[in-house]
Amino acid sequence: MSGERRLENANPTIFSKAEERIITEDEEDDDVVDAFDSREIFDLIRNICDPEHPLSLEELNVVKESHVEVDDRTNRVKVVFTPTIPHCGMAQLIGLSIRVKLLRALPPRFKVDIIIEPGTHTSESAVNKQLGDKERVAAALENTHLLDVVNQCLSGKQGL
């Protein structure tokens, strides 16, 4: 197997996707101010591609609308994600991809917290610390190779 990359979770469980949200005229009207809600945030991240599989984070049940919290009044967004396996080596990359997607899509007034669902990853504390540290995130995004991989996850080029 020299030269081949080995998948950590070669046969993941695939989940059904949620129905597409119906967007109202008021939501499309830029003159109407409406608060962000958990579904809107979920819709931003649901189609991020998994770094290893040709599937979205929603299809792998890594992100769920029920694990998205939004407080528009205090400008906070929290996303709790669940790696597909407890020793997932892609957890930091997945979390970083979620963070970058939200930082690019949301107004800068929002504080975004991305964490692993408690008890679902062997290194959850270390991953959460990395994802919560602005300097570490900024340094990671200065790495052009890593940024290319994140951009591929966000662009729909699946199964890197």
Side-chain angles (χ1 to χ4, degrees):
M1 255 179 63
S2 69
E4 287 184 35
R5 196 178 80 172
R6 193 178 142 137
L7 297 178
E8 289 184 42
N9 186 2
N11 193 18
T13 303
I14 301 172
F15 295 82
S16 60
K17 294 180 83 167
E19 295 289 323
E20 292 294 323
R21 183 172 62 106
I22 297 171
I23 299 173
T24 66
E25 282 186 36
D26 282 347
E27 289 173 319
E28 289 185 336
D29 186 350
D30 290 337
D31 295 329
V32 175
V33 177
D34 58 336
F36 285 90
D37 61 27
S38 61
R39 180 58 193 250
E40 196 167 2
I41 301 302
F42 176 70
D43 285 343
L44 289 170
I45 63 173
R46 69 191 284 195
N47 292 315
I48 294 173
C49 297
D50 181 81
E52 289 189 309
H53 299 286
L55 300 163
S56 72
L57 297 184
E58 179 186 19
E59 289 170 311
L60 293 170
N61 217 29
V62 171
V63 295
K64 302 177 233 181
E65 183 182 357
S66 62
H67 288 156
V68 175
E69 298 173 19
V70 180
D71 189 336
D72 197 67
R73 188 181 51 76
T74 61
N75 305 316
R76 294 187 73 89
V77 171
K78 179 180 176 184
V79 175
V80 178
F81 72 99
T82 308
T84 58
I85 53 176
H87 56 277
C88 177
M90 297 290 162
Q92 293 96 332
L93 180 57
I94 290 168
L96 185 61
S97 297
I98 294 168
R99 176 175 291 289
V100 168
K101 177 67 174 187
L102 293 178
L103 291 175
R104 289 178 180 173
L106 293 174
R109 67 182 169 95
F110 279 97
K111 175 168 181 354
V112 175
D113 293 314
I114 310 296
I115 64 167
I116 291 180
E117 183 175 5
T120 64
H121 194 274
T122 55
S123 300
E124 90 184 48
S125 177
V127 174
N128 287 341
K129 185 175 181 178
Q130 290 176 344
L131 293 174
D133 185 324
K134 287 182 187 178
E135 287 78 21
R136 286 186 185 187
V137 170
L141 295 175
E142 288 177 6
N143 177 321
T144 54
H145 173 70
L146 184 57
L147 184 58
D148 285 345
V149 174
V150 168
N151 285 332
Q152 287 176 343
C153 289
L154 299 181
S155 72
K157 294 179 182 171
Q158 302 171 330
L160 312 174

